[in-house]
Amino acid sequence: MADTARARKLAERIQQVVAQMLDTRVKDPRLGFVTVTDVKVTGDLQHADVYYTVYGDDEARTGSAAALESAKGLIRSEVGKQTGIRLTPTLAFHLDAVPETAAHLEQALAEAARRDAEVAALAAQASYAGEADPYRHPDDEQDDDAGR
């Protein structure tokens, strides 16, 4: 049975160690402004997926990905030293797609707001096809009976 609390704590610690390593020890010129966003550790604590974002264009992303791959061994050894667990998990770096997804959602929400404004403008100019209130009310029934 996997201990999810232990995996969560290890993931948090790996995130801290990787961020510290990227800030202080990894001196690769290809490495851009990298932010470690999340770390997922498998239940058996043997593998860790490190998610990161890079501030910049596609060239900065590809350079940072290459720099992270070349520094993977150094970072893994430091993770092993600072966590103190018997088997150091393997590391895999993945570019986090959250910023692109958020930008796409922002565009979709702006489009929906624009369409809502158009519908509201059309509704403000609209008039009823018949009466404003087409339903019968109890008051009307008394008037109908008196008119017969």
Side-chain angles (χ1 to χ4, degrees):
M1 182 73 188
D3 186 8
T4 58
R6 185 171 183 207
R8 194 174 340 110
K9 287 179 185 177
L10 181 62
E12 290 172 3
R13 185 65 185 136
I14 289 173
Q15 183 175 359
Q16 293 170 355
V17 171
V18 170
Q20 178 186 8
M21 288 290 295
L22 294 178
D23 190 35
T24 59
R25 300 244 336 252
V26 178
K27 300 297 181 192
D28 196 326
R30 298 173 293 179
L31 188 65
F33 186 71
V34 175
T35 302
V36 179
T37 56
D38 195 17
V39 175
K40 303 274 188 203
V41 177
T42 58
D44 61 356
L45 309 178
Q46 295 297 309
H47 183 73
D49 291 313
V50 180
Y51 296 92
Y52 66 95
T53 59
V54 179
Y55 182 75
D57 57 354
D58 288 335
E59 184 179 328
R61 288 185 187 109
T62 56
S64 295
L68 289 171
E69 280 299 316
S70 67
K72 187 187 292 188
L74 175 70
I75 295 171
R76 183 173 181 230
S77 65
E78 190 64 26
V79 165
K81 288 176 190 173
Q82 291 195 21
T83 56
I85 57 176
R86 185 171 60 93
L87 296 173
T88 303
T90 59
L91 300 177
F93 292 97
H94 304 283
L95 184 62
D96 201 351
V98 170
E100 289 82 14
T101 304
H104 177 70
L105 287 176
E106 286 292 327
Q107 290 174 349
L109 288 173
E111 177 68 19
R114 185 187 61 78
R115 288 184 182 179
D116 285 347
E118 288 177 5
V119 169
L122 289 174
Q125 297 172 356
S127 63
Y128 294 107
E131 297 177 21
D133 188 10
Y135 299 105
R136 289 189 176 183
H137 297 285
D139 307 349
D140 296 338
E141 290 177 12
Q142 293 172 358
D143 295 338
D144 288 344
D145 292 339
R148 283 189 194 182

